[in-house]
Amino acid sequence: MALLAISSLLMAELNNANALIRIYSRMVSCSFIVMTTAASFLLSSTNVGWAQMGLICFFIFLLHAYQDGRAAGWVFYAFAALSLASIPFVHVLYLVPVLWIILCTNILAFSLRTFLASLLGLMVPYWFIGAYDIAFQHLDSLAAHFVALAHPGAAFDLTILNDHQALTFIFLMIIAALGSVHFLMFSYQDKIRTRMIYEMFITLSACCLLLMLVFPTLFNGFMALAIVVIAPLIGHFLALTHSRLSNIIFFVIIAAAMLLTIYNLL
């Protein structure tokens, strides 16, 4: 609960600092809370909570580097936060190649300096862990931590998923598609910087949803990360649409989220 509270405050800061919604709205952080609590089975482990918080911090730091190829400091902090998130959930490192591409195409801050800063940021937390493991002769645990990257489990073995996970995945996939399509249709109303940020969220939400299907053994971890990047998408839709249809969709989403929460608590 403490991790959820802190992550919710960080989501509000991410929204405020980057004007993700062009009107005053708390819909991004509220959407994050609703989706996380709806997927109540995620709250049984603090690991996914730490991973969520690390990814949010990553975005907060990274977006300070927008259009600044010399912002090595912000990039370092961003990837250090991501590396901290990888301590409880090492498979978040699967996203690193995509994030390097995003650093180049959406953040427009890729340079040799920022690339080296990202590598250094990824390594720093493990310097301290490595020193501890050397001192107490626990190197096997550090090696096993990274070996897990090469053994993510059976691919596409969806039989290991239960009904709660399957229904939550369908719910997230629908609202991610809804938020993405709406933004792409009306993106001309936002600033270029905002478009770049939302394109990043759309890309990462697709990556997380795909990884959930490809490696079902990592389902809960990537679902927690997917919620972080889907929250701005659906928040943008709910805050900025006021047609009769969108109002109906709003109540349908709220009802579906409530029913899903109740079902997942059973």
Side-chain angles (χ1 to χ4, degrees):
M1 290 301 297
L3 289 172
L4 176 59
I6 295 171
S7 295
S8 300
L9 291 174
L10 291 173
M11 286 296 289
E13 174 60 23
L14 177 64
N15 176 39
N16 295 339
N18 298 283
L20 297 181
I21 300 178
R22 57 183 179 272
I23 61 173
Y24 179 80
S25 174
R26 295 296 186 194
M27 195 59 73
V28 171
S29 52
C30 290
S31 297
F32 172 79
I33 294 171
V34 169
M35 287 189 289
T36 303
T37 52
S40 55
F41 50 85
L42 297 180
L43 302 177
S44 62
S45 170
T46 56
N47 286 350
V48 294
W50 285 112
Q52 272 188 330
M53 189 166 65
L55 185 63
I56 299 168
C57 290
F58 169 83
F59 290 131
I60 291 174
F61 290 130
L62 185 69
L63 294 179
H64 280 286
Y66 181 72
Q67 284 189 331
D68 188 356
R70 297 178 295 177
W74 289 117
V75 174
F76 168 81
Y77 297 140
F79 280 87
L82 189 72
S83 185
L84 288 171
S86 74
I87 294 173
F89 182 55
V90 68
H91 298 92
V92 72
L93 297 178
Y94 286 164
L95 297 176
V96 169
V98 179
L99 294 173
W100 278 332
I101 295 173
I102 286 172
L103 181 64
C104 178
T105 58
N106 292 76
I107 306 302
L108 305 176
F110 188 87
S111 65
L112 180 60
R113 179 179 296 183
T114 55
F115 176 70
L116 293 177
S118 69
L119 290 177
L120 189 62
L122 290 171
M123 291 188 292
V124 161
Y126 289 101
W127 286 352
F128 294 97
I129 295 174
Y132 173 87
D133 288 339
I134 290 172
F136 292 93
Q137 298 181 350
H138 293 157
L139 284 177
D140 290 345
S141 63
L142 182 62
H145 182 73
F146 288 107
V147 167
L149 288 171
H151 302 284
F156 299 104
D157 185 13
L158 301 180
T159 57
I160 68 174
L161 302 179
N162 56 43
D163 293 341
H164 299 276
Q165 292 172 312
L167 287 175
T168 307
F169 175 81
I170 293 171
F171 175 73
L172 291 179
M173 184 174 62
I174 291 173
I175 63 174
L178 181 63
S180 299
V181 171
H182 168 263
F183 180 79
L184 293 175
M185 289 177 62
F186 298 97
S187 61
Y188 65 88
Q189 298 178 356
D190 287 295
K191 296 178 180 179
I192 293 176
R193 184 178 187 273
T194 306
R195 295 180 211 170
M196 293 291 195
I197 294 172
Y198 271 90
E199 287 172 4
M200 172 182 69
F201 290 144
I202 292 171
T203 300
L204 290 174
S205 63
C207 289
C208 289
L209 292 172
L210 180 62
L211 286 167
M212 289 160 64
L213 291 177
V214 175
F215 303 119
T217 54
L218 310 176
F219 190 89
N220 286 359
F222 280 111
M223 174 172 283
L225 301 182
I227 288 172
V228 173
V229 291
I230 292 173
L233 297 175
I234 193 62
H236 188 278
F237 168 78
L238 295 176
L240 298 176
T241 54
H242 304 287
S243 66
R244 179 179 176 84
L245 178 60
S246 65
N247 290 338
I248 294 173
I249 292 174
F250 171 80
F251 288 109
V252 170
I253 291 174
I254 293 299
M258 291 180 64
L259 291 173
L260 182 64
T261 304
I262 294 170
Y263 179 72
N264 285 338
L265 287 172
L266 296 179

